Amino acid sequence: MRTSPPNSPHIRGNWRRIGSAAAATAALLIAGLGTAAHASADTTPHKVTAKAIAAQVAKAHVQYEKAACGATPKKGFAACNALRVTGGTTAFMEKQAALKGIAPKTISPKAATDDPTGYGPSDIQSAYGLADAAADNGSGETVAIVDAYDDPNAAADLATYRSYYGLSDCTVANGCFKKVSQTGSTTSLPSADSGWAGEESLDLDMVSATCPNCNILLVEAKSASDANLGTAVNEAVKLGAKFVSNSYGGSESSSDTSYDTSYYKHPGVAITASAGDEGYGAEYPAGSQYVTAVGGTALSTSSNSRGWTESVWKTSSTEGTGSGCSAYDAKPSWQTDATCTKRMIADVSAVADPATGVSVYDTYGADGTGWGTYGGTSASSPIIASVYALAGTPGSSDYPASYPYAAAGTSALNDVTSGNNGTCSTSYYCTAKSGYDGPTGWGTPEGISAFTG
């Protein structure tokens, strides 16, 4: 990984955590709908809708921190790309408040909540035009999640998430869910780890949200070394998964091309990898020529015809979606951008901003407080793997990373044209534009047609 951000929770913008009543007052001031004097003394009525208040409170954003598996790894190891919200007001909470005509509540740092505070399955399916496919497709397909260490509560937490949202049961007993080690054992599992448990819950919940009819295979590597994680990818493919999500990454190295051949070169299998959470810069395995590199966006509701809008996820110069030109990996034949002579990151994208984060249920370890909201490209990678699953089994000799390129510039992808994830010498490496750009690739799914051969 590149430079690690501070360990303390982050506060986006100039806001600090505030109660709902104070939020409403502060929102009026920001909106120009009141003044400090008015707020404290003037009794003149102001006609301000709850929706307007909620829209302004959206600027308060959230506090969040890296999951405990996200520390800068040593050479030859990877970190997870998950970020856990610890305070503030999420986009989902703002959306719900606007619908009810009330000022939104806030999340108390480190506190458990009784209900979800992030986007759920209906939001994800609506945002990406997947509702029909999610209802009809995915049966018989298996999406594999590769992570490090064991989450002892994975099956139980998955059951709670799915029950809350009215999704069908996905259990070991009915054959929908299976958890194995990197050697395929269901009994000899790695040691448990609280940080990676949160990552695993995030991944499992995003598969459930996006492809509720899919089977889920969780493959747990015995450590976060590149070799063990890669071995877990091979095991997932050996066990029959045609869709494999990898929500981890580390700094590039000259060993990456050999890792490509050993672990990620699986024709006929859609393998996705998170682009990273530390802003502009390339990381691996997103840099592999054989995977679909998945960037991250900020996702919010909108009055447009789609009902949603997206921009590049960026919190600061060191926090946001990854992107860039690989230093080592060869450029795949389907990439044709002129400036980067090697592999360019990313290919496509999906929601990753913690402020517009997704709901996750996790009960293991220090961070396992039940319902929480997560962001990071750890959310976008399993979403895209699951979109591939909705689209159907890839061609046996295909590298499915090429599929979105065949649909480039069509209505099958939502082109993300605003925002950046840092500064760079070649604009499209770090800045959104019409058409292809590094932070968001060719855009986000609008249905499944861009993800099939």
Side-chain angles (χ1 to χ4, degrees):
M1 290 283 188
R2 296 165 302 283
T3 304
S4 176
N7 293 324
S8 58
H10 304 280
I11 302 173
R12 301 189 64 196
N14 296 318
W15 291 66
R16 293 189 179 273
R17 185 167 44 86
I18 50 180
S20 58
T25 300
L28 298 180
L29 301 182
I30 291 294
L33 300 171
T35 65
H38 290 154
S40 61
D42 191 354
T43 57
T44 303
H46 297 277
K47 294 182 179 180
V48 182
T49 67
K51 187 173 182 179
I53 294 173
Q56 294 303 323
V57 175
K59 297 178 181 179
H61 298 302
V62 299
Q63 296 170 307
Y64 62 88
E65 63 187 10
K66 274 187 173 289
C69 52
T72 303
K74 62 184 180 181
K75 184 178 180 181
F77 285 73
C80 69
N81 287 310
L83 300 165
R84 189 173 68 90
V85 172
T86 59
T89 304
T90 67
F92 173 79
M93 297 167 74
E94 294 152 9
K95 174 189 171 187
Q96 296 302 105
L99 291 172
K100 296 175 182 177
I102 60 175
K105 298 178 181 179
T106 61
I107 300 171
S108 299
K110 306 283 186 183
T113 59
D114 294 330
D115 299 301
T117 54
Y119 290 139
S122 63
D123 299 302
I124 292 168
Q125 293 170 23
S126 170
Y128 298 124
L130 301 172
D132 289 344
D136 299 335
N137 299 0
S139 295
E141 304 288 8
T142 296
V143 179
I145 297 299
V146 171
D147 283 312
Y149 302 105
D150 181 40
D151 175 6
N153 297 357
D157 289 348
L158 175 64
T160 298
Y161 179 91
R162 294 178 70 101
S163 175
Y164 180 91
Y165 286 111
L167 306 178
S168 60
D169 291 343
C170 188
T171 66
V172 174
N174 69 13
C176 175
F177 177 63
K178 186 175 184 179
K179 181 175 74 169
V180 300
S181 70
Q182 69 185 58
T183 64
S185 174
T186 58
T187 55
S188 181
L189 298 170
S191 59
D193 183 273
S194 176
W196 281 95
E199 170 65 58
E200 291 173 39
S201 291
L202 167 60
D203 293 340
L204 297 174
D205 292 352
M206 289 309 95
V207 176
S208 297
T210 310
C211 187
N213 295 326
C214 283
N215 295 332
I216 307 175
L217 172 66
L218 173 59
V219 186
E220 298 176 331
K222 66 181 180 181
S223 79
S225 73
D226 295 333
N228 285 326
L229 288 163
T231 299
V233 172
N234 287 343
E235 186 63 26
V237 176
K238 178 182 175 182
L239 292 174
K242 297 297 183 182
F243 315 93
V244 183
S245 175
N246 304 278
S247 291
Y248 56 83
S251 58
E252 292 192 297
S253 78
S254 57
S255 300
D256 292 349
T257 53
S258 65
Y259 291 153
D260 276 359
T261 303
S262 298
Y263 305 126
Y264 298 100
K265 187 178 181 180
H266 292 287
V269 180
I271 301 177
T272 63
S274 300
D277 293 349
E278 296 179 358
Y280 173 66
E283 69 174 48
Y284 192 85
S288 171
Q289 62 180 303
Y290 300 115
V291 311
T292 300
V294 185
T297 67
L299 172 71
S300 300
T301 54
S302 173
S303 60
N304 62 20
S305 59
R306 178 187 170 195
W308 300 85
T309 185
E310 290 175 276
S311 59
V312 175
W313 165 44
K314 177 189 176 184
T315 302
S316 70
S317 61
T318 58
E319 292 180 330
T321 183
S323 71
C325 183
S326 173
Y328 301 100
D329 244 80
K331 197 172 195 68
S333 60
W334 49 86
Q335 279 199 326
T336 58
D337 58 297
T339 305
C340 175
T341 59
K342 293 191 179 295
R343 202 274 197 257
M344 186 70 192
I345 302 167
D347 299 309
V348 291
S349 50
V351 60
D353 188 342
T356 67
V358 296
S359 188
V360 173
Y361 192 80
D362 170 44
T363 62
Y364 182 74
D367 294 342
T369 57
W371 289 110
T373 298
Y374 276 75
T377 51
S378 279
S380 56
S381 178
I383 289 173
I384 295 299
S386 302
V387 175
Y388 274 113
L390 290 173
T393 305
S396 60
S397 61
D398 292 353
Y399 290 102
S402 66
Y403 293 171
Y405 288 77
T410 73
S411 59
L413 292 161
N414 301 303
D415 191 8
V416 181
T417 59
S418 64
N420 68 80
N421 64 346
T423 57
C424 54
S425 58
T426 304
S427 178
Y428 78 88
Y429 287 14
C430 65
T431 304
K433 68 178 188 66
S434 179
Y436 180 83
D437 56 72
T440 65
W442 283 108
T444 62
E446 184 55 47
I448 60 175
S449 60
F451 297 85
T452 180

